[in-house]
Amino acid sequence: MDVTFQFNWQAAFASLPHLVAGIPYTLLISFGGLAIGFFIGIFFGLLRISPSAWLRWPAIVYIEIFRGTPVLVQVLFIFYGLPQLLGGPINALVAGIAAIAVNSGAYISEIVRGGVQSIERGQREAGLSLGLSRVQTFRDIIWPQAFRRMIPALGNQGIISIKDTSLFSVIGVGELVRQGQIYIATTFTALEVYLMVALLYLAITLSLSIALRLLERKGLVGQ
Amino acid sequence: MTHEKPAPDATPIVSLSKLNKHYGELHVLKDIDLTVVPGEVVVIIGASGSGKSTLIRCVNGLEEFQQGELEVDGNTLLPNGKATRALQKIRTEVGMVFQQFNLFPHLSVLDNVTLAPMRVRGWSQDDATATARRLLARVGISDQADKYPSQLSGGQQQRVALARALAMEPRLMLFDEPTSALDPEMIGEVLDAMRELAREGMTMMIVTHEMGFAREVADRVIFIDKGRIAEEGPPEQIFDAPQHPSTQSFLSRVLKH
């Protein structure tokens, strides 16, 4: 084995401008997808705890399907499979955002369900006994408390989804990994470039962690 | 009692007739007939699991019942949770204080008290705040208005809960074991606030284990045994000369310890 290989810092730094061009795509897919997934999650998470089985079951089916299949398969299905149904191609960026949205939406549904169910029954009873409607009780009393409890789990999901976007290099969307692959194809500096790619992911996820920690600390007032 | 005795023939504000409630197989309330007239203080006593909390939770619809009829302030509730509009009206006119206080932990003390008047009654922020400050002063916690519930002692929290319920200007107040979750040294301050309220003529239904308080404040005491009203009457009768054997045995257990 050749163990004389030297890590080439120069090559690593030289790749950065090229790699950084992928960051907007990575951020757009992950945060665009997560934003949509958040609303999907609220919707199905609340259906999931409905007293009506007719509302509950569609939510259970959605959650089990999109939580139980790999996000890679989901994006391949959307990008290569759906066009056969729709009769026209789907933009790779759109496919990526859609895959993160439906995938994170399934997990966020469960986070929402857990958060709402964790609020003591007495809170709802106190709201109702004051004459607040069920909607007012939920909006003013249950949800603000549930949301605070959901923040750590939502942060987790955010980090997972950001990393999941790395799989989307397979559909040719120019995110971080894809940019790295293109660069390596001409420079053959895989070690340096993938290390840089990893560090860039870490920079994004650490920023999110720190932001969430600040948000959480702020949210703890009065709890 | 210092307040004037309510007229027993006045139109009742609460009336339950042949009320029955089941939890699956369990028959929790059996043929409850009960009326409360305006200004009356009714204390409900009984062993744990006798159904006394369930009974007052039926009055504002936190529990459904399966047979019978319940009328509160002219609004009729039907079995199995029907008639939701009547329910909403009842809850607007009936205040409740819970064993676990159930203050809203994400809102300041002041916001706890102003929320419902603003949302339900449509009061302005200024009106709601003025009323809240007056009520908080009345229960002796005006200087804590900007704190959060978790920063208050149990006794203070329960007094905030009382102020929160009173802010809706209820015609009837329900108390579900309001002192059972309190440390002994804080029970007195909550009972004092309730005593004050009774003196002012508030109609009250109180579930409690505080027998001394019950004797002092009640116009009528109701003893519930296994979901049935076993005995009712003025406090002197219930506490000094109970007729029903189950009342006698219950009181001998709770008073001699």
Side-chain angles (χ1 to χ4, degrees):
Chain A
M1 277 253 322
D2 177 14
V3 288
T4 59
F5 187 88
Q6 286 286 305
F7 188 87
N8 186 343
W9 283 106
Q10 223 168 352
F13 287 117
S15 71
L16 267 179
H18 188 86
L19 298 179
V20 163
I23 289 180
Y25 289 98
T26 294
L27 293 180
L28 185 62
I29 297 170
S30 47
F31 286 99
L34 281 164
I36 300 168
F38 183 60
F39 287 101
I40 294 176
I42 293 175
F43 182 74
F44 283 105
L46 296 183
L47 285 191
R48 177 73 183 73
I49 45 181
S50 161
S52 154
W54 290 104
L55 297 178
R56 223 164 39 235
W57 271 100
I60 293 172
V61 169
Y62 164 77
I63 292 166
E64 294 303 336
I65 287 176
F66 287 98
R67 202 177 51 167
T69 54
V71 69
L72 179 59
V73 175
Q74 287 164 12
V75 80
L76 291 173
F77 181 88
I78 293 169
F79 187 68
Y80 293 111
L82 275 190
Q84 292 188 5
L85 283 177
L86 302 174
I90 289 178
N91 179 290
L93 195 60
V94 172
I97 292 173
I100 292 295
V102 294
N103 183 264
S104 71
Y107 285 95
I108 294 172
S109 298
E110 287 292 274
I111 295 171
V112 167
R113 176 174 77 91
V116 169
Q117 285 183 333
S118 77
I119 304 302
E120 301 69 28
R121 213 174 101 204
Q123 291 291 309
R124 181 182 142 86
E125 293 183 347
L128 294 178
S129 78
L130 285 164
L132 296 172
S133 69
R134 288 192 302 179
V135 172
Q136 287 172 326
T137 300
F138 182 78
R139 190 194 56 202
D140 294 334
I141 296 167
I142 309 295
W143 180 254
Q145 297 183 58
F147 183 70
R148 277 173 200 187
R149 293 190 190 177
M150 283 158 49
I151 290 174
L154 288 173
N156 239 351
Q157 183 56 45
I159 286 170
I160 290 169
S161 289
I162 288 168
K163 294 184 298 178
D164 280 348
T165 62
S166 65
L167 297 166
F168 299 172
S169 54
V170 297
I171 59 168
V173 61
E175 46 68 64
L176 262 173
V177 170
R178 179 75 183 153
Q179 296 293 346
Q181 290 171 335
I182 293 168
Y183 190 79
I184 292 162
T186 54
T187 61
F188 307 105
T189 49
L191 181 72
E192 290 81 359
V193 173
Y194 281 131
L195 181 71
M196 286 297 121
V197 168
L199 289 175
L200 287 173
Y201 275 109
L202 202 56
I204 297 170
T205 54
L206 279 178
S207 308
L208 181 63
S209 289
I210 292 166
L212 281 163
R213 195 163 304 169
L214 292 175
L215 183 66
E216 221 178 304
R217 198 173 300 165
K218 214 174 120 211
L220 283 176
V221 175
Q223 289 283 24
Chain B
M1 285 307 302
T2 50
H3 77 261
E4 274 189 44
K5 285 271 177 202
D9 54 348
T11 312
I13 185 169
V14 179
S15 79
L16 285 66
S17 56
K18 290 276 168 288
L19 193 102
N20 279 275
K21 176 172 177 66
H22 306 261
Y23 278 126
E25 292 287 287
L26 201 64
H27 197 171
V28 199
L29 295 175
K30 297 167 187 161
D31 290 330
I32 301 285
D33 286 307
L34 171 64
T35 58
V36 179
V37 297
E40 195 175 16
V41 176
V42 174
V43 172
I44 302 163
I45 60 172
S48 301
S50 59
K52 54 192 191 306
S53 283
T54 309
L55 173 60
I56 71 161
R57 286 165 57 85
C58 280
V59 173
N60 70 347
L62 289 183
E63 301 280 353
E64 296 177 358
F65 52 93
Q66 278 70 47
Q67 291 120 39
E69 202 178 283
L70 192 158
E71 195 178 307
V72 180
D73 202 20
N75 303 290
T76 304
L77 278 192
L78 299 170
N80 301 311
K82 299 200 180 88
T84 50
R85 196 163 304 163
L87 183 57
Q88 186 83 21
K89 284 194 74 179
I90 288 173
R91 285 172 173 167
T92 307
E93 305 304 328
V94 176
M96 187 165 201
V97 171
F98 299 86
Q99 181 176 351
Q100 300 295 339
F101 329 137
N102 297 348
L103 291 180
F104 308 132
H106 61 301
L107 299 178
S108 70
V109 164
L110 189 66
D111 291 342
N112 263 274
V113 182
T114 58
L115 178 69
M118 288 168 64
R119 291 277 190 275
V120 182
R121 297 251 191 245
W123 293 7
S124 70
Q125 173 110 45
D126 288 349
D127 288 350
T129 303
T131 302
R133 291 206 182 274
R134 182 171 51 77
L135 288 166
L136 288 172
R138 183 168 135 188
V139 295
I141 26 185
S142 41
D143 47 341
Q144 321 274 0
D146 298 321
K147 291 191 175 170
Y148 283 88
S150 60
Q151 298 170 291
L152 268 51
S153 74
Q156 290 172 324
Q157 289 192 45
Q158 193 62 302
R159 285 182 284 148
V160 172
L162 178 59
R164 178 178 70 177
L166 293 177
M168 284 293 287
E169 302 184 333
R171 304 204 50 213
L172 165 72
M173 281 292 300
L174 307 174
F175 293 86
D176 186 7
E177 303 200 26
T179 58
S180 297
L182 293 174
D183 291 334
E185 74 270 22
M186 292 171 184
I187 292 175
E189 62 196 56
V190 171
L191 294 183
D192 282 344
M194 292 171 64
R195 222 174 255 128
E196 176 73 24
L197 195 61
R199 204 173 291 133
E200 288 167 12
M202 174 64 77
T203 314
M204 298 160 78
M205 294 177 76
I206 305 168
V207 170
T208 186
H209 294 291
E210 296 292 328
M211 294 302 156
F213 174 76
R215 175 195 284 264
E216 175 198 345
V217 84
D219 294 309
R220 184 156 46 114
V221 177
I222 291 175
F223 174 70
I224 296 209
D225 182 46
K226 300 190 183 80
R228 205 180 285 282
I229 296 182
E231 186 167 355
E232 63 178 306
E236 310 80 54
Q237 179 200 313
I238 300 291
F239 289 113
D240 298 334
Q243 305 297 307
H244 199 278
S246 61
T247 320
Q248 293 165 355
S249 101
F250 171 73
L251 288 174
S252 73
R253 272 178 285 133
V254 297
L255 295 178
K256 285 181 202 150
H257 68 141

